[in-house]
Amino acid sequence: MPEEHGRRKKVAIIGAGAAGMSCASTLANHPDRFEISLFDIADYTGGQATSIPLDSSRHGAEWLNDGVQGGSPIFRHTFNFFRRYGYEPQPVKLQVSFGKGTDSFWTNVFPSPLVDRYSDEIRKLGRALKWIKRLMPILGVMPVKVILRLFRFSRDFSNKMVLPLMALFLGTGNQTPNVSSVLLERLFDDPQMRLWDYDPDTLLPNQPGMSTFPNLSDFYRDWAADVAARGVDLRLNTTVDILRRDKHGVSLQSRPADFQPGSSTSSAEEFDELVLCVPADEAKSLLGSNATWRENFVLGGVKFYNDLTITHSDSQYFSSIFQTRYASDVCAPASNESRKKQIDFARKEARTRSDGWEGFAPMYYIHSYVSDPAKIEMGFDCTHYQHQFRETFGHDVPAPEPDRHVYQTIFLDDRQKHLWTCEGIQKDKIIARKDWHQFGHRWQHYLRVVPGMMFINGNNHTVYAGSWTMVNMHEIACISGIAAAYRLGATYEAFDDFAEDCFGKYLLVCHGIRYKRATCGNGESS
């Protein structure tokens, strides 16, 4: 989209997380065409992608990524930004642990009695996945809880196997029953996005390849320094009010986040375009009376939940909640050669290797509440998962004693506080506490919000970006920011066929624009 009379287009971006940084970085590739101001209320960039310091003498590493930890091989845009600044994601073979004890435990590492108990339903799930794929427009949008009832799965199988599996890898938490079933099908069947090889014997037979992220605070610091050096006016610790949006553009007023009433305020600033890279509820609040009925409808359809993450080193608490070690009573018989190999692997002493661990060393955990089995807590053994710990320990060495590990327990939806077990964590072993504001992937999200994005993007000189526009992943946040920049006239720099295809699909769904390969963004509708 050409600028009139050679004047640079003034763009205001609110929110300096993954979406805002991706948008600013893409626009900054055209300094002759865009004048960019990037605002954030925090005094750092990265949003939820943060790192915290650790006592390296105790834990074996100086830092921990505590919000966003890693991703699958589909995170092409994320990894491309990492590598641009000399940061390399590190491979890890993923091990998971669901439940605890013979009644509820199962894993992708070795067979368990629970897997044998539900062998018929595991095979039925394979058939259900095929039907979801065949009847995608109808079954795919239905909530998982409806599909599980439709195919007559037992409540125990649903609560102990299917829902925890989805919750862990989609980040959907206690809203998993309301998630569209297409996401379950994609976990197993999508040739490019699947994590698991479906197995009618044990359900999950493989340890999928994932990647752990580099020090995110360092990465975002370097990324921010680069965009500032390329002309972006980076204004952190700043709040913004939207005064006006009309055919002439957007009027904003900014002030320091610690602004005191009675202090002098800045004058209004005029911008040609506004990019809102903040959560949907915050965007709706910023727009206030300036919001259109379409914006209120779409943005109001995003449901948020308040969660708590506690980072700690309380191994006694962690092992009381989750199955952290191999034990013979939670292992099913080695009835075939595949099972025998899995059990032989799991029984080994946990030792480091370049892409994870030899032996049973879970990284992701799920705990379901006895009083309400559909509700869960999530856990991470960050020492097993994040690569910086293995790099410190060295290759082919045993894991440190449990109390030197760094754990995270995530307590979901503060309306369910009466279920939380956080009081069991020893206070002197707590490293950090953080509150999170996360959106839920309800089936309504995919009927109201995602298809509605194309009807609000670009109207009133306003574009939206953030993971909430589709799926809660760092990768989607990056793609959405690049798409917003493309919508304003920036060029998409292709570097990978799969990444380019994902970008094109996102652009079509959320902007109603057909991506044209090897051309500049031109804002033409499909």
Side-chain angles (χ1 to χ4, degrees), residues 383-447:
T383 300
H384 282 163
Y385 185 37
Q386 295 190 27
H387 64 274
Q388 68 271 23
F389 296 96
R390 299 194 304 276
E391 291 172 355
T392 300
F393 303 148
H395 182 66
D396 195 29
V397 298
E401 55 269 25
D403 271 352
R404 292 186 61 199
H405 285 223
V406 179
Y407 307 101
Q408 283 191 334
T409 312
I410 303 176
F411 305 96
L412 302 166
D413 189 357
D414 61 2
R415 297 175 304 175
Q416 308 294 331
K417 278 185 178 180
H418 61 285
L419 297 172
W420 291 2
T421 65
C422 52
E423 292 302 318
I425 303 174
Q426 294 184 47
K427 293 192 170 40
D428 62 342
K429 294 188 176 181
I430 293 177
I431 299 170
R433 296 171 63 104
K434 282 198 176 178
D435 296 306
W436 305 99
H437 191 57
Q438 306 279 16
F439 85 89
H441 301 70
R442 305 176 307 157
W443 63 272
Q444 296 96 324
H445 191 83
Y446 298 96
L447 278 182

Side-chain angles (χ1 to χ4, degrees), residues 235-513:
R235 305 194 212 175
L236 301 179
N237 199 33
T238 302
T239 61
V240 178
D241 292 323
I242 300 172
L243 304 179
R244 174 184 54 78
R245 294 185 306 158
D246 56 29
K247 65 181 181 180
H248 301 294
V250 179
S251 179
L252 305 179
Q253 186 172 57
S254 63
R255 61 182 184 276
D258 57 0
F259 174 79
Q260 298 297 321
S263 302
S264 59
T265 59
S266 63
S267 58
E269 295 180 77
E270 300 298 319
F271 293 89
D272 298 299
E273 303 290 345
L274 172 65
V275 186
L276 289 176
C277 301
V278 294
D281 55 350
E282 187 177 338
K284 188 170 180 286
S285 176
L286 280 170
L287 291 173
S289 61
N290 286 301
T292 66
W293 71 267
R294 285 190 178 91
E295 289 169 329
N296 281 324
F297 177 77
V298 174
L299 299 176
V302 187
K303 184 69 173 176
F304 286 86
Y305 302 89
N306 297 317
D307 304 335
L308 169 67
T309 294
I310 298 182
T311 304
H312 60 93
S313 60
D314 191 344
S315 61
Q316 185 176 355
Y317 160 81
F318 201 77
S319 61
S320 72
I321 298 294
F322 305 112
Q323 188 73 39
T324 59
R325 300 192 175 213
Y326 172 85
S328 58
D329 66 326
V330 294
C331 182
S335 54
N336 55 50
E337 189 61 29
S338 175
R339 286 188 170 205
K340 183 178 183 301
K341 290 180 179 179
Q342 288 181 322
I343 294 170
D344 288 345
F345 173 87
R347 292 174 63 182
K348 295 177 181 178
E349 177 189 37
R351 302 181 71 88
T352 60
R353 64 186 190 190
S354 61
D355 61 349
W357 295 81
E358 190 80 12
F360 184 54
M363 299 137 189
Y364 281 30
Y365 296 83
I366 286 285
H367 163 74
S368 297
Y369 299 110
V370 175
S371 61
D372 193 345
K375 303 289 192 304
I376 63 169
E377 289 178 357
M378 301 170 63
F380 298 91
D381 186 328
C382 302
T383 300
H384 282 163
Y385 185 37
Q386 295 190 27
H387 64 274
Q388 68 271 23
F389 296 96
R390 299 194 304 276
E391 291 172 355
T392 300
F393 303 148
H395 182 66
D396 195 29
V397 298
E401 55 269 25
D403 271 352
R404 292 186 61 199
H405 285 223
V406 179
Y407 307 101
Q408 283 191 334
T409 312
I410 303 176
F411 305 96
L412 302 166
D413 189 357
D414 61 2
R415 297 175 304 175
Q416 308 294 331
K417 278 185 178 180
H418 61 285
L419 297 172
W420 291 2
T421 65
C422 52
E423 292 302 318
I425 303 174
Q426 294 184 47
K427 293 192 170 40
D428 62 342
K429 294 188 176 181
I430 293 177
I431 299 170
R433 296 171 63 104
K434 282 198 176 178
D435 296 306
W436 305 99
H437 191 57
Q438 306 279 16
F439 85 89
H441 301 70
R442 305 176 307 157
W443 63 272
Q444 296 96 324
H445 191 83
Y446 298 96
L447 278 182
R448 174 174 170 179
V449 179
V450 175
M453 290 307 303
M454 70 170 69
F455 298 105
I456 64 173
N457 263 324
N459 293 332
N460 299 301
H461 298 277
T462 305
V463 184
Y464 299 87
S467 61
W468 62 267
T469 60
M470 189 168 283
V471 180
N472 190 21
M473 296 191 300
H474 191 277
E475 176 69 1
I476 292 297
C478 287
I479 292 174
S480 70
I482 300 169
Y486 182 93
R487 178 69 182 251
L488 298 181
T491 300
Y492 176 78
E493 296 185 341
F495 62 94
D496 175 284
D497 287 343
F498 175 75
E500 191 172 19
D501 183 57
C502 288
F503 173 78
K505 289 177 179 176
Y506 177 91
L507 191 69
L508 183 61
V509 171
C510 289
H511 289 266
I513 292 174

